[in-house]
Amino acid sequence: QVQLVESGGDLVQAGGSLRLSCVASGRVLTINEMEWYRQTPGKQRELVASITTGGGTNYVNSVKGRFTISVDSAKNTVYLQMNNLKVEDTALYSCTGVIKTDSSGETWWGSGRGTQVTVSS
């Protein structure tokens, strides 16, 4: 029905930048809400940033001022711009979204498989 596919992960040096993309495809009318999570082995999944259809954003304290979440509604794509990356940002980043699938208000909820970000010192 709906698929979320992340891309943009890479190996980067500390202080560098990456832009992650999460593309929603299939029965997508609007993106109601999208969240970026990250997870490293042995640690709990962490909510990094979120954005709502109204444009409201939230960030975990550790990325405030460095990461920016944004949405391109025409492309059904949510971005996570990550600047001044730190070694501790190394993780598998995935997006989780609430997607409106038709005009009756039906929604879909799900996650992508993730994209790996590795920051070297």
Side-chain angles (χ1 to χ4, degrees), residues 48-69:
V48 176
S50 65
I51 189 166
T52 64
T53 186
T57 58
N58 278 293
Y59 300 91
V60 69
N61 284 340
S62 60
V63 308
K64 284 181 180 178
R66 301 189 297 122
F67 290 11
T68 303
I69 189 170

Side-chain angles (χ1 to χ4, degrees), residues 32 100-107:
N32 284 4
K100 186 177 179 181
T101 56
D102 61 35
S103 57
S104 72
E106 182 178 347
T107 58

Side-chain angles (χ1 to χ4, degrees), residues 3-118:
Q3 275 192 321
L4 298 179
V5 178
E6 303 93 335
S7 63
D10 205 343
L11 171 64
V12 64
Q13 284 193 327
S17 297
L18 285 174
R19 188 178 77 160
L20 306 184
S21 300
C22 172
V23 179
S25 62
R27 289 182 60 193
V28 179
L29 193 61
T30 58
I31 297 174
N32 284 4
E33 182 173 355
M34 193 71 77
E35 299 168 332
W36 279 100
Y37 286 86
R38 65 186 178 187
Q39 186 162 27
T40 54
K43 289 189 177 181
Q44 275 195 331
R45 193 174 179 225
E46 178 181 47
L47 175 60
V48 176
S50 65
I51 189 166
T52 64
T53 186
T57 58
N58 278 293
Y59 300 91
V60 69
N61 284 340
S62 60
V63 308
K64 284 181 180 178
R66 301 189 297 122
F67 290 11
T68 303
I69 189 170
S70 61
V71 60
D72 185 334
S73 299
K75 296 182 178 179
N76 291 329
T77 301
V78 175
Y79 302 99
L80 185 67
Q81 177 67 43
M82 306 187 297
N83 298 328
N84 190 21
L85 282 160
K86 302 178 181 181
V87 173
E88 52 264 40
D89 293 321
T90 295
L92 180 69
Y93 286 72
S94 61
C95 56
T96 296
V98 178
I99 308 295
K100 186 177 179 181
T101 56
D102 61 35
S103 57
S104 72
E106 182 178 347
T107 58
W108 174 93
W109 176 92
S111 300
R113 293 187 175 185
T115 184
Q116 179 66 37
V117 171
T118 303

